[in-house]
Amino acid sequence: MTPQFTPYYVAPQVLEAQRRHQKEKCGIIPTSPTPYTYNKSCDLWSLGVIIYVMLCGYPPFYSKHHSRTIPKDMRKKIMTGSFEFPEEEWSQISEMAKDIVRKLLKVKPEERLTTEGVLDHPWLNSTEALDNILPSAQLMMDKAMVAGIQQAHAEQLANMRIQDLKVSLKPLHSVNNPILRKRKLLGTKPKESVYIHDPENSGKDSNVALEKLRDVIAQCILPQAGENEDEKLNEVMQEAWKYNRECKLLRDTLQTFSWNGRGFTDKV
């Protein structure tokens, strides 16, 4: 499976998985010891990015160069966990807030905060509320910056889309599928005590009797709107009975529902 992601929030192991996937497509044996698995640690990395953005107004990992794929400099920052707390925006933000961000943006998943660790962190459990005005609200009002972020997201999502592929289905008679072969074989051999055609219908397709029973089931499960349900059920049951009147199992079942050969005398 091809790893997919949103560039600003992607965890390092997802980028590593992408690199591994590209190597495998080119026939190169990956040297990374373990295969990629998406787990909660990827989401916790993204949570760290979200907290960072909420506090200062811009992401910890970004590039000055927009492109349809994630830029190399931005990829390198994510893979090495290289980010800063610029003094201008972060001077009024508490050390506890910075600490939870640092611990969520650990490159190695095993060193990253777990869900329980986040919930137990002092920053979330502190009873002190500072009166600091965060710079994030003002920065997020910058239409040019927001437009740039939206453009980067749109380009990355467009690059991730899979082009529509033309699909052509083989005719059933030429399909070499073991399941279809088995069904076709069973369908041409009526089972004893399941359904038996009347002599006048012996030349017809052996699947007709079964199709008539399926019509009954369909009418019971999803009756057609605008029709008299009881009349329609009697109609399709009569058709099914005409092709399956020798089936003992069906005959015994219909007796329990008060079938008289033309319709149900009781409400079904």
Side-chain angles (χ1 to χ4, degrees):
M1 182 179 67
T2 306
Q4 306 290 4
F5 54 85
T6 307
Y8 289 106
Y9 308 97
V10 61
Q13 64 260 46
V14 180
L15 291 180
E16 176 60 35
Q18 185 193 50
R19 183 165 60 182
R20 180 188 181 98
H21 179 76
Q22 289 172 346
K23 286 183 177 180
E24 289 176 344
K25 285 181 64 177
C26 296
I28 302 173
I29 300 176
T31 56
S32 52
T34 56
Y36 160 73
T37 54
Y38 190 98
N39 53 33
K40 293 179 181 178
S41 67
C42 298
D43 295 327
L44 288 163
W45 172 280
S46 300
L47 176 61
V49 174
I50 291 170
I51 293 174
Y52 188 104
V53 174
M54 289 177 66
L55 290 172
C56 72
Y58 52 83
F61 310 102
Y62 60 91
S63 174
K64 295 180 180 179
H65 310 287
H66 293 306
S67 66
R68 289 183 63 84
T69 58
I70 186 168
K72 290 183 179 180
D73 58 336
M74 182 174 169
R75 180 186 294 270
K76 183 177 180 181
K77 290 176 182 178
I78 295 173
M79 294 299 293
T80 58
S82 302
F83 65 95
E84 299 175 345
F85 297 116
E87 185 69 17
E88 184 177 353
E89 291 83 22
W90 288 84
S91 59
Q92 300 298 316
I93 298 174
S94 69
E95 285 300 321
M96 284 193 297
K98 295 176 184 177
D99 182 69
I100 195 171
V101 171
R102 289 192 192 97
K103 291 178 178 178
L104 284 169
L105 298 181
K106 291 286 187 181
V107 174
K108 294 182 179 179
E110 61 271 16
E111 296 178 0
R112 207 171 296 156
L113 274 182
T114 61
T115 305
E116 293 77 13
V118 171
L119 295 175
D120 292 338
H121 194 276
W123 186 59
L124 290 182
N125 293 281
S126 175
T127 56
E128 297 181 10
L130 301 179
D131 294 330
N132 297 346
I133 299 176
L134 296 175
S136 53
Q138 184 177 356
L139 287 172
M140 289 179 182
M141 292 293 288
D142 186 337
K143 294 183 179 180
M145 190 188 78
V146 173
I149 293 175
Q150 290 176 337
Q151 180 185 353
H153 276 247
E155 289 176 349
Q156 184 65 27
L157 289 172
N159 190 51
M160 287 163 51
R161 292 192 185 101
I162 300 175
Q163 294 182 353
D164 293 335
L165 300 176
K166 293 183 179 179
V167 179
S168 58
L169 299 178
K170 294 181 179 179
L172 286 177
H173 66 270
S174 64
V175 174
N176 187 25
N177 182 291
I179 297 176
L180 292 178
R181 286 203 308 270
K182 183 177 180 181
R183 287 182 179 178
K184 186 176 180 181
L185 181 64
L186 292 175
T188 57
K189 295 181 179 180
K191 294 182 179 178
E192 186 178 358
S193 298
V194 174
Y195 59 86
I196 300 177
H197 292 304
D198 282 342
E200 63 186 35
N201 297 312
S202 59
K204 295 187 177 182
D205 189 341
S206 60
N207 281 326
V208 172
L210 186 58
E211 290 296 331
K212 297 300 182 182
L213 290 174
R214 287 174 178 164
D215 290 342
V216 175
I217 296 172
Q219 178 63 27
C220 292
I221 296 175
L222 190 64
Q224 296 295 319
E227 294 181 341
N228 185 306
E229 295 181 13
D230 293 338
E231 291 182 1
K232 184 63 177 179
L233 179 59
N234 287 336
E235 179 185 330
V236 294
M237 190 65 247
Q238 286 177 21
E239 279 294 303
W241 178 245
K242 183 169 65 174
Y243 287 93
N244 294 276
R245 66 177 71 242
E246 298 302 325
C247 176
K248 184 178 182 303
L249 178 62
L250 178 62
R251 187 166 59 248
D252 293 343
T253 302
L254 289 175
Q255 286 178 357
T256 64
F257 288 99
S258 304
W259 171 258
N260 61 14
R262 296 181 304 275
F264 294 99
T265 56
D266 297 332
K267 181 72 175 177
V268 178

